[in-house]
Amino acid sequence: RAGVACSVPPPHKSSRTQRGSTSSHGSVQKYTNPSKQAMILPMPSFPSASGPPSCYMKSKEQLTIFVLVLQSVICVSRLVLLLDIMGGFIMGICVGLGWYAYKEDMNITYFCYWGMMCAFNGIFDLVKFIDFWVKSPSPLFSSEAGWQYNLVSTTLIMVPVVMIMGAVLAWYMYKSATGDDSGVYEPTYGRSGAAARSSVSQSYGTPARTSFQAFGGSGQRLGQGKA
């Protein structure tokens, strides 16, 4: 009896299964897309304030007060004379941070943030002043225009100047805090080697070695103990 051969067709995937695999594959591509990765802006690590301020910070206290008072006066002039509300508001936040750092016993961390804000605001204000200067048809100062006109021009110049002054002062504070805690370098030349080594050892908290004894006892000649 002759057999009848029949062929069975392969199982066919449903369209739902194909759509599911496509959607799952698409979801994997979505999470591995490099364009979706976040970028982080690197920032320097500021020193943290621990204990009383250093000798260098105390020596710059009067200069800090002078710069902060000058920034406060120019900020008020910017709001009243120039009517720059947004710029004066941002500058006021920066000056307020500087006064807060001074109030917190010359806090070096807050002064670093103050200096960073002064640097950014100073650069933007300098570019803004240069743009105004090159496009202004009238001179910057004029004896015929009156004292108010000259006062406005002086305020325009002093806004970036006082900001850059604060940034430079904060930079020196930062270098002092990260380089030497005392802020004063004591040279070792002009002293003996033992005194210099003693001062260096004491500065690192290790006791200085005052005397050295190689060996003791009476000397013996070769062959002296033989009969």
Side-chain angles (χ1 to χ4, degrees):
R1 187 181 293 181
V4 178
C6 60
S7 61
V8 179
H12 179 68
K13 292 184 179 180
S14 63
S15 60
R16 181 179 301 177
T17 307
Q18 291 181 356
R19 287 196 298 268
S21 62
T22 304
S23 61
S24 63
H25 181 67
S27 63
V28 173
Q29 289 183 352
K30 179 180 180 181
Y31 288 105
T32 57
N33 190 2
S35 63
K36 300 295 183 180
Q37 296 179 358
M39 299 182 63
I40 300 176
L41 180 65
M43 295 295 293
S45 58
F46 293 145
S48 59
S50 59
S54 62
C55 297
Y56 182 82
M57 295 292 292
K58 291 181 180 179
S59 65
K60 299 300 180 181
E61 185 174 357
Q62 300 297 327
L63 181 60
T64 304
I65 295 175
F66 172 75
V67 173
L68 289 174
V69 169
L70 193 59
Q71 286 182 351
S72 302
V73 173
I74 297 301
C75 181
V76 174
S77 301
R78 184 175 188 174
L79 291 170
V80 175
L81 298 178
L82 303 181
L83 297 179
D84 187 4
I85 307 301
M86 181 59 67
F89 176 73
I90 298 175
M91 186 178 179
I93 295 176
C94 179
V95 177
L97 180 59
W99 281 115
Y100 182 75
Y102 170 76
K103 177 181 174 295
E104 292 296 320
D105 202 9
M106 301 291 290
N107 191 293
I108 182 60
T109 306
Y110 297 147
F111 271 125
C112 289
Y113 287 111
W114 170 67
M116 185 175 64
M117 290 187 65
C118 286
F120 282 113
N121 290 334
I123 292 173
F124 286 125
D125 290 333
L126 180 61
V127 174
K128 184 177 180 181
F129 167 71
I130 294 175
D131 180 74
F132 169 79
W133 188 16
V134 298
K135 294 180 180 179
S136 178
S138 58
L140 192 60
F141 293 98
S142 176
S143 58
E144 301 177 354
W147 64 272
Q148 293 183 352
Y149 178 84
N150 295 326
L151 185 59
V152 169
S153 300
T154 305
T155 305
L156 286 172
I157 297 175
M158 291 302 297
V159 165
V161 169
V162 295
M163 289 287 101
I164 295 176
M165 286 174 60
V168 172
L169 178 59
W171 168 256
Y172 280 107
M173 291 179 179
Y174 170 77
K175 295 299 291 182
S176 173
T178 55
D180 187 7
D181 293 337
S182 62
V184 179
Y185 172 72
E186 184 179 2
T188 58
Y189 57 83
R191 295 182 293 175
S192 61
R197 288 191 298 271
S198 176
S199 63
V200 173
S201 300
Q202 292 176 1
S203 63
Y204 283 94
T206 57
R209 185 175 296 177
T210 57
S211 62
F212 176 77
Q213 186 176 359
F215 53 84
S218 60
Q220 300 290 335
R221 293 183 179 181
L222 295 177
Q224 183 177 359
K226 294 182 179 180

